[in-house]
Amino acid sequence: MGIDLKAGGRRTGHASSMKVIKTQNPYTRLLIKLYKFLARRTDSKFCATVTKRLHMSKVNAPPIGLNRLAKYMTKKEGKTAVMVGKVTDDVRMLECPKMSVCALSFTENARKRIVAAGGECITFDQLALRAPTGSNTVLLRGPESRAALAFFGKRTSVNNPHAYDGVKPRVRSKGRKFEKARGRRKSRGFKV
C-alpha cells in the first residue's frame, strides 16, 4: 500500500489542537497561559483539564443552567463549582441555593440569583489564587447539545435493543417518497 499523494498524502502534524491558541479573546488567551503554567508546575490534573477545555470551541463548551448546577452541587457545601463556559439562569427553579461558582461568564440574571442567595461568582484568575491545584472544587460541564448528536446512535451490542431508538435518520427530506418502505412501516416487511 502506497500513499495516495493526490489525495494529499498522510495526515501529519495534527497531533494536538492545543499547540496554537485559536481564540482572539485576550482574556481567554491569558487564562490559557496561566493554567498551562499551573498544569506544568503543579502536575495537577485539574489544571490540565481546565487548559484543555479553555482551548475548546464554543460548540464543545455548552452552557449550564442554574438548575442543573444546583443539582450537581447538592451535599457539596464548602466546595466551588467550576464550569469552563457560561452559566445561565433557569426560570423553572424557584429557590436558588447558596453556592460558590467559578465560570467564564454568567448571564445577568444568573449572577443576580447566585449573589442574592448569599453565594458568589468568581473568575478563573481568582480561582487560581484560591485553589491553584483545584482543591475543594467540582469540575462541571454543560449538557452536550450539538445538532449532530441527534444522528448518533447509542452503544450497539447484541443485547441492546434500544441502539437506534430516537436516532434521527440522515434523510434528504421528510416526505411521502423518502425512506418510507421496508424497515420503516409494519405493512412493508418490518418497522424499526
Side-chain angles (χ1 to χ4, degrees):
M1 287 288 290
I3 301 166
D4 188 351
L5 291 172
K6 269 193 179 149
R10 288 204 335 267
R11 194 166 176 273
T12 56
H14 294 270
S16 170
S17 62
M18 284 169 41
K19 285 200 169 72
V20 180
I21 304 175
K22 292 186 183 70
T23 178
Q24 293 307 309
N25 184 334
Y27 302 109
T28 311
R29 291 179 83 93
L30 284 170
L31 282 180
I32 288 171
K33 270 188 178 176
L34 169 66
Y35 275 90
K36 197 174 176 183
F37 169 80
L38 284 173
R40 192 179 77 242
R41 292 297 294 268
T42 61
D43 284 332
S44 151
K45 287 279 274 294
F46 170 83
C47 292
T49 309
V50 169
T51 309
K52 187 175 76 182
R53 290 189 191 173
L54 282 167
H55 273 283
M56 284 182 181
S57 59
K58 193 175 179 180
V59 84
N60 288 320
I64 193 168
L66 268 186
N67 197 19
R68 195 180 285 261
L69 189 64
K71 190 177 78 179
Y72 286 143
M73 293 305 289
T74 48
K75 297 181 185 148
K76 290 191 172 73
E77 286 81 24
K79 292 199 170 191
T80 307
V82 180
M83 163 69 190
V84 185
K86 191 172 202 152
V87 173
T88 56
D89 186 22
D90 199 334
V91 289
R92 297 167 298 180
M93 191 171 71
L94 302 172
E95 298 278 304
C96 179
K98 179 185 175 183
M99 52 189 174
S100 174
V101 187
C102 169
L104 284 179
S105 64
F106 297 85
T107 59
E108 199 179 332
N109 287 349
R111 190 185 290 274
K112 271 184 197 163
R113 288 186 73 175
I114 292 169
V115 173
E120 55 172 358
C121 302
I122 65 170
T123 56
F124 274 93
D125 49 326
Q126 289 169 313
L127 182 75
L129 291 170
R130 258 188 224 187
T133 57
S135 51
N136 276 340
T137 60
V138 183
L139 191 55
L140 300 172
R141 281 174 130 168
E144 279 200 320
S145 55
R146 284 189 300 139
L149 295 171
F151 300 100
F152 298 173
K154 311 292 179 288
R155 189 184 67 241
T156 52
S157 66
V158 179
N159 43 14
N160 181 14
H162 306 292
Y164 299 104
D165 286 3
V167 176
K168 202 174 184 178
R170 290 184 195 272
V171 184
R172 185 160 48 107
S173 185
K174 187 173 168 61
R176 176 184 59 80
K177 302 188 286 188
F178 303 97
E179 300 193 17
K180 288 278 190 270
R182 186 172 178 274
R184 300 306 299 166
R185 280 191 288 175
K186 261 284 199 271
S187 61
R188 299 285 180 275
F190 67 99
K191 183 179 187 317
V192 173

